Amino acid sequence: MSLFNMSKTPEAKGPVTYLQYSRSEMRYRVEYVFKRAENGDCTLTKIEGYQDETGQTIVVPASVADKLWEMVEEHKMRNYKSSYTPKMRVLDGYMWKLQAEFAKGERLYTGGDNEMPDGGIGIKQLVNYLAWLWDKQNVPPIREMVYREDGMVAYPLHYYKLEKDYRNDCYIFTNVSNCRYDEARSAQVPNAFADEIRQIVKEESMFDYAPDYQPEFEVLDGRSWRINMRFEGTKSTIISSGREAYPAGEGLRRIEQLCYEKWKELEPQSKPAPLQSPYE
């Protein structure tokens, strides 16, 4: 294992051309494999679960190779030991492995059994980035979405909530636009509606949204908005808001318009679904 210890090759240069990270526990296994071809094309493969042998592969931007190299350098991963183990024996814990290759052919190999270097800060940041990148390029099914826009009136101009109903394999779509919370109404919508929103999230790169948007100059009594999204099988979320300032692209407008049109279709069959005001 020490043959691949990068502390002996400090002259190594990025970008990363290959990186594999895996973690296994008793009931869970996940593996990410990043590859950069000679022509610069980059892919990311995710293998999840013990029954999954090949996983799914997606195309990712070439800039990912440089981003991974930056993380390797930031956390001095080339100085990681080949193996980490705790002082005390741990039963039924986890095992992890990280190996990488760089542009000049140098390699990194490290791993551990219930122990990580530096408290796992570097490894966790790397894994969170890979998970975020995967979700961004291959948006998971939506678990819940709330979109709201407020103006100068007492009630929300637009307030749409979409929540997965696992028992009936559909979504519950709730509208609280231009009304009190106790006047909210809801209706069932098929999974295809949520898939349309997922496609917007991907096309508009909504995982890149900043947490907050503010105008360059102060605006009194303007419009404000917020959007919260949670997804199945991942900790990645979209939580963003703003006041008279918006992210680039048309993601918010497209979701608002899609919800507006769908509600016109569903309203005749909707039922009362009172909600509690967040201000109570």
Side-chain angles (χ1 to χ4, degrees):
M1 297 298 184
S2 60
L3 175 63
F4 300 108
N5 193 316
M6 290 306 298
S7 62
K8 296 182 179 181
T9 56
E11 74 282 358
K13 301 293 183 181
V16 173
T17 56
Y18 175 86
L19 183 142
Q20 178 188 25
Y21 168 83
S22 63
R23 178 183 172 117
S24 59
E25 304 174 23
M26 283 190 63
R27 299 182 179 180
Y28 180 71
R29 165 182 173 251
V30 65
E31 179 177 315
Y32 291 99
V33 180
F34 168 81
K35 294 181 180 180
R36 178 178 180 267
E38 291 184 1
N39 64 359
D41 292 343
C42 297
T43 60
L44 182 66
T45 300
K46 182 180 182 181
I47 302 172
E48 188 169 19
Y50 287 100
Q51 303 301 318
D52 189 358
E53 297 181 358
T54 59
Q56 181 183 351
T57 299
I58 60 175
V59 176
V60 295
S63 58
V64 172
D66 295 305
K67 177 63 177 179
L68 291 173
W69 169 253
E70 291 175 6
M71 298 177 74
V72 168
E73 285 290 272
E74 177 185 356
H75 296 284
K76 298 179 173 59
M77 292 184 181
R78 293 186 289 134
N79 294 330
Y80 283 179
K81 297 188 300 184
S82 61
S83 180
Y84 291 85
T85 55
K87 295 180 180 180
M88 304 292 292
R89 186 181 181 187
V90 180
L91 299 177
D92 301 331
Y94 65 89
M95 299 182 65
W96 64 276
K97 180 179 69 174
L98 172 65
Q99 52 185 336
E101 297 178 2
F102 307 102
K104 285 191 174 182
E106 296 90 350
R107 297 180 180 181
L108 161 67
Y109 184 95
T110 184
D113 180 355
N114 293 288
E115 187 71 21
M116 291 183 174
D118 301 324
I121 296 176
I123 297 296
K124 291 175 183 177
Q125 182 179 334
L126 173 67
V127 176
N128 287 340
Y129 172 70
L130 292 172
W132 170 85
L133 181 65
W134 179 266
D135 292 342
K136 174 184 175 181
Q137 302 294 325
N138 190 47
V139 181
I142 294 173
R143 180 178 175 185
E144 182 182 55
M145 179 199 77
V146 174
Y147 171 75
R148 172 174 179 160
E149 183 180 11
D150 291 284
M152 297 177 61
V153 297
Y155 306 131
L157 298 175
H158 299 281
Y159 192 129
Y160 302 109
K161 180 177 181 180
L162 185 68
E163 189 171 15
K164 180 71 175 183
D165 180 352
Y166 292 95
R167 177 177 297 179
N168 297 305
D169 190 29
C170 65
Y171 284 84
I172 303 300
F173 185 39
T174 304
N175 185 11
V176 202
S177 303
N178 295 303
C179 67
R180 300 195 309 265
Y181 282 85
D182 59 1
E183 297 176 331
R185 300 183 68 85
S186 67
Q188 290 187 351
V189 288
N191 294 341
F193 177 65
D195 290 338
E196 290 185 71
I197 295 178
R198 288 172 62 196
Q199 187 62 29
I200 294 174
V201 169
K202 180 177 180 179
E203 292 175 356
E204 298 289 344
S205 299
M206 293 180 67
F207 275 102
D208 292 339
Y209 279 10
D212 183 63
Y213 293 85
Q214 295 295 327
E216 183 178 358
F217 303 101
E218 184 174 2
V219 179
L220 299 178
D221 300 327
R223 290 192 176 190
S224 62
W225 59 272
R226 66 179 174 88
I227 186 166
N228 294 358
M229 292 183 114
R230 294 190 296 163
F231 304 86
E232 294 182 9
T234 179
K235 295 181 180 179
S236 296
T237 59
I238 297 174
I239 302 177
S240 185
S241 62
R243 182 176 62 86
E244 287 297 330
Y246 303 86
E250 298 292 326
L252 296 177
R253 187 197 64 79
R254 291 177 63 186
I255 287 179
E256 177 187 303
Q257 186 65 26
L258 180 65
C259 289
Y260 176 79
E261 295 294 337
K262 176 58 70 172
W263 184 253
K264 286 199 304 183
E265 174 188 329
L266 294 173
E267 187 172 14
Q269 63 195 61
S270 65
K271 300 178 181 180
L275 294 179
Q276 182 178 357
S277 170
Y279 305 110
E280 294 177 356

